[in-house]
Amino acid sequence: VLISVTIIYTSICRHRTSVKIKGHGYCIQIEYGDIFKKDNCKKVINFDECFTTNVGSKPSEIKPTSVCGKYLLSHPIDSTQMQTLIANAGLKPTRSKSKYQNKIRYESGRIVPNDEYLLMAFAKLGEDGRGQFFSQDEFVDCLSILWNEINKYYCQTDVCIPILGSGLTRIGDKILTQQELLDIIITSYQLSTYKLKAPYQLYIVCRKNNDFSLQKIGTTL
């Protein structure tokens, strides 16, 4: 019986597609899926610090395979429209300019609402327009700002985010994996004073890959 139960439990865990984490006054659901297929929720789309809207293969353009690129291909926005959205949100630029062409930049974690989407300033840019690495402290600071911004704009509905920082966050010379980033995101939300009020919850959508498992949540910290 014990062997049968173990086999069944192992099989269920291996094929699990979502995990729910509940705490005092909050609920987080982590699941495999496509953020664009989530209904009845606000969806966070991470842009760069300058809210670049050009999609293409140049270093300074948004990659079409990224979450931001997919969003812009299905919901085209030009730079003028983006500036209107930013102005309507009352979002102020930082005092310092971007390293890329001295452009106006916005603090990582700040949000510009656009219907069901929450457009987020995220990746800092280097001189060539590529996203620069975050330190872990910078990533955590960004998340703290994000939870505050979501609290302002979630409008009494669920919120869905991708795993942020993939390929852009590191500790020293080590680039953090999707597994490590997810644990940081979950812990940051648990510690934040800004959480979605029940019955609304935070969804984190993940990509399936070989170095990631829902069963390993919480094991990297």
Side-chain angles (χ1 to χ4, degrees):
V1 172
L2 179 60
I3 293 173
S4 296
V5 170
T6 302
I7 292 172
I8 292 171
Y9 176 76
T10 302
S11 178
I12 290 172
C13 287
R14 187 172 297 171
H15 294 90
R16 176 181 275 179
T17 58
S18 66
V19 171
K20 185 169 286 189
I21 299 174
K22 288 187 175 182
H24 181 64
Y26 72 87
C27 180
I28 308 170
Q29 178 142 326
I30 305 100
E31 60 185 40
Y32 295 125
D34 183 343
I35 192 170
F36 297 104
K37 293 182 179 179
K38 293 291 295 181
D39 295 322
N40 303 316
C41 68
K42 296 286 187 180
K43 295 178 271 286
V44 173
I45 306 296
N46 49 304
F47 281 67
D48 59 40
E49 64 180 355
C50 300
F51 284 106
T52 301
T53 58
N54 297 326
V55 179
S57 58
K58 295 179 181 178
S60 60
E61 293 178 322
I62 304 298
K63 302 300 176 285
T65 55
S66 68
V67 171
C68 183
K70 291 176 181 178
Y71 171 77
L72 288 170
L73 289 174
S74 59
H75 302 77
I77 303 175
D78 61 30
S79 58
T80 301
Q81 292 170 320
M82 179 60 79
Q83 286 304 311
T84 298
L85 291 173
I86 291 171
N88 290 342
L91 184 61
K92 304 298 182 184
T94 61
R95 290 184 178 180
S96 61
K97 297 292 182 68
S98 173
K99 291 182 180 178
Y100 178 59
Q101 297 182 351
N102 208 36
K103 286 188 172 185
I104 291 174
R105 59 178 290 268
Y106 300 87
E107 189 175 24
S108 296
R110 296 297 177 190
I111 278 176
V112 173
N114 188 24
D115 297 326
E116 65 184 291
Y117 293 96
L118 301 176
L119 313 184
M120 171 191 174
F122 185 58
K124 296 180 180 180
L125 300 178
E127 293 180 358
D128 61 356
R130 294 178 187 272
Q132 288 191 315
F133 285 111
F134 284 90
S135 68
Q136 184 175 3
D137 288 343
E138 288 174 326
F139 185 58
V140 170
D141 288 344
C142 169
L143 292 173
S144 296
I145 294 169
L146 175 62
W147 308 138
N148 187 6
E149 292 286 280
I150 286 176
N151 186 60
K152 290 193 296 184
Y153 293 117
Y154 79 99
C155 297
Q156 306 300 301
T157 188
D158 295 333
V159 174
C160 182
I161 69 172
I163 294 186
L164 301 164
S166 182
L168 285 175
T169 309
R170 67 183 179 188
I171 303 176
D173 293 328
K174 178 189 175 185
I175 298 175
L176 299 185
T177 65
Q178 180 173 276
Q179 196 82 54
E180 292 167 323
L181 290 166
L182 176 60
D183 283 347
I184 293 172
I185 291 170
I186 291 170
T187 302
S188 172
Y189 186 73
Q190 290 172 324
L191 295 175
S192 175
T193 56
Y194 300 102
K195 297 182 180 73
L196 305 183
K197 293 183 174 63
Y200 309 108
Q201 60 184 346
L202 178 71
Y203 286 86
I204 305 176
V205 177
C206 314
R207 300 188 311 274
K208 284 189 177 182
N209 59 42
N210 293 331
D211 67 346
F212 177 82
S213 172
L214 293 178
Q215 310 318 311
K216 295 180 180 179
I217 290 174
T219 63
T220 68
L221 295 179

